[in-house]
Each structure stands twice: as structure tokens, then as C-alpha cells.
Amino acid sequence: MENVFIGISGMIGAGKTTLATALAKELNLPVHYEPVTDNVYLADFYKDMSKYAFPLQIYLLNKRFKQQQQIVWNGRGGVQDRTIYEDTVFAKMLAKSGHMSQRDYETYLSLFSNMSHFMKKPNIIVHLDVSPEQSMDRIKMRSRGCESGMSLDYLKALHQAYEEFISDISRVIPVIKVDYSKFPTAEQMAKAIKVQYAEIANIRHVAFNDNN
């Protein structure tokens, strides 16, 4: 499966990085990770969302766009552990909650729209489906200090926003929705996704039927 571009989406703590690593190994593709440890805005954002919402979203958009361009110019495909299209989910959430002003949100959307002309759509999006409660449990387990203030209400709203996102994006990009809890390991999940992608890529034939 050369030159395949796969984007992984999902709630906070869904296991995107773990799956991205396993999927890249299974398909022999480069892997591109979400900028977390070197994110210079993240800690400040969780302390004061309203102040840092807009600069954080611009920072992430810039980082993921750079990853997109690396995938395009390398010509080898790749696995990205959070798609650039998901950025709009978080920006929408911040605007709805009042943490991002309407002016900033509209500026963000305009920039995203302009950049989208130079983006490369993934061949497929793999969405890790976890509940808000599962997301909260995993956030607690990994104990990132900057995420300690995350509320269940926020995660419930985020989950709903993701459901809308997946419904919309599936009209233009094929989506494989995966329940992580059904797989003992990420490696087994990667093998199952490989099989599903091969089936999606097949050409389907339609024949005329006199009974129609």
C-alpha cells in the first residue's frame, strides 16, 4: 500500500498515537505525530482558554499544515495521528463555549479555507470511537498536568462535535470507524484496518436489471 495517506481522528486520549505507530509499521508508511510535547501554547491554554484559544488554534493549524506539505512533497504517503480537518472541530467548540470570539473564529475559518486549497485529502480517515467517559478515564491515566482541568461536560460536547464532523467528512473522504475496546492490541487493529481499506478501494460494478 504505497503512497497511501491515512488520517486518524478521535477524542482526546482515544489512542491515536498508539494506532498511528502500529498502522505505519503494518503498512510501511512514514508516521507524523501531533505536536504535543513541543506545543508552546498548550499549558497556557488550559490555564486560560479564552486568552489562548485563538493563538493555540493558529499554532496547531500551522504545524499540521507543515505536516501536510511534508506528506505531499515526500510522495510516500503517511499516517497522521490527527487530521488537519479536526482542527475545525476544536475551533467550533471554543467559539460555541465563548472561549473564542466570533471575530477570531471567522478569521480562523477564513485562514483555514484559504489553506485548504493547498491541502492533500487523506485517502481514508480512521476514527477511533470512544465515549466521553472513556476519554476522561484515559486522560486521567496518562496524567498530563495540562489536561488536569478537563471536565466531563466539555468531553461530552466534544464527542457530539466529533459525531457531526465524521458525518460531514464521510461525504468526501471514506471513514473507517473503530471501537478500540474490541481489539486486544493496536497491531491487531492495524491489520483489520488494512483489510477494510482494501475492500473500500475496490471498484464496485452496477448492472442493469429489467426488474428495476
Side-chain angles (χ1 to χ4, degrees), residues 34-189:
E34 181 181 16
V36 175
T37 56
D38 61 341
N39 189 325
V40 296
Y41 287 100
L42 198 58
D44 288 333
F45 168 73
Y46 282 120
K47 291 176 184 175
D48 190 340
M49 288 189 176
S50 296
K51 182 177 180 179
Y52 290 100
F54 183 69
L56 173 68
Q57 290 303 127
I58 296 300
Y59 172 86
L60 290 171
L61 183 61
N62 179 55
K63 286 285 187 178
R64 274 192 261 276
F65 185 75
K66 182 179 179 181
Q67 283 185 351
Q68 281 253 335
Q69 296 308 296
Q70 289 174 338
I71 293 169
V72 171
W73 291 109
N74 287 344
R76 296 178 53 206
V79 181
Q80 192 175 27
D81 80 342
R82 190 187 286 281
T83 72
I84 195 169
Y85 300 98
E86 286 173 83
D87 277 13
T88 59
V89 175
F90 288 89
K92 182 179 179 180
M93 279 280 298
L94 290 167
K96 275 189 172 183
S97 64
H99 291 301
M100 185 185 291
S101 71
Q102 188 62 30
R103 179 181 63 180
D104 284 347
Y105 182 52
E106 289 175 2
T107 298
Y108 171 84
L109 289 179
S110 177
L111 176 61
F112 186 94
S113 177
N114 291 335
M115 293 173 74
S116 69
H117 298 296
F118 304 95
M119 292 178 192
K120 176 181 174 65
K121 288 186 176 69
N123 297 99
I124 194 164
I125 290 176
V126 176
H127 180 68
L128 291 175
D129 190 22
V130 300
S131 69
E133 291 76 15
Q134 288 173 316
S135 177
M136 177 63 81
D137 288 343
R138 295 181 184 189
I139 288 169
K140 290 178 180 177
M141 284 177 62
R142 69 186 187 185
S143 298
R144 287 181 184 166
C146 61
E147 295 175 346
S148 60
M150 196 81 64
S151 70
L152 184 58
D153 286 341
Y154 174 81
L155 293 174
K156 286 180 178 179
L158 183 61
H159 186 269
Q160 179 58 40
Y162 258 111
E163 290 297 302
E164 296 170 5
F165 164 74
I166 289 299
S167 177
D168 290 340
I169 202 73
S170 64
R171 294 185 175 94
V172 291
I173 302 172
V175 174
I176 295 177
K177 205 170 184 179
V178 183
D179 183 350
Y180 210 137
S181 65
K182 302 297 184 183
F183 292 86
T185 67
E187 289 72 23
Q188 288 173 302
M189 189 188 307

Side-chain angles (χ1 to χ4, degrees), residues 191-204:
K191 291 181 186 298
I193 291 167
K194 182 179 181 180
V195 171
Q196 286 295 318
Y197 177 75
E199 291 182 1
I200 290 174
N202 287 341
I203 297 174
R204 306 300 172 93

Side-chain angles (χ1 to χ4, degrees), residues 6-17:
I6 299 174
I8 300 177
S9 75
M11 293 278 288
I12 300 167
K16 295 180 293 296
T17 300

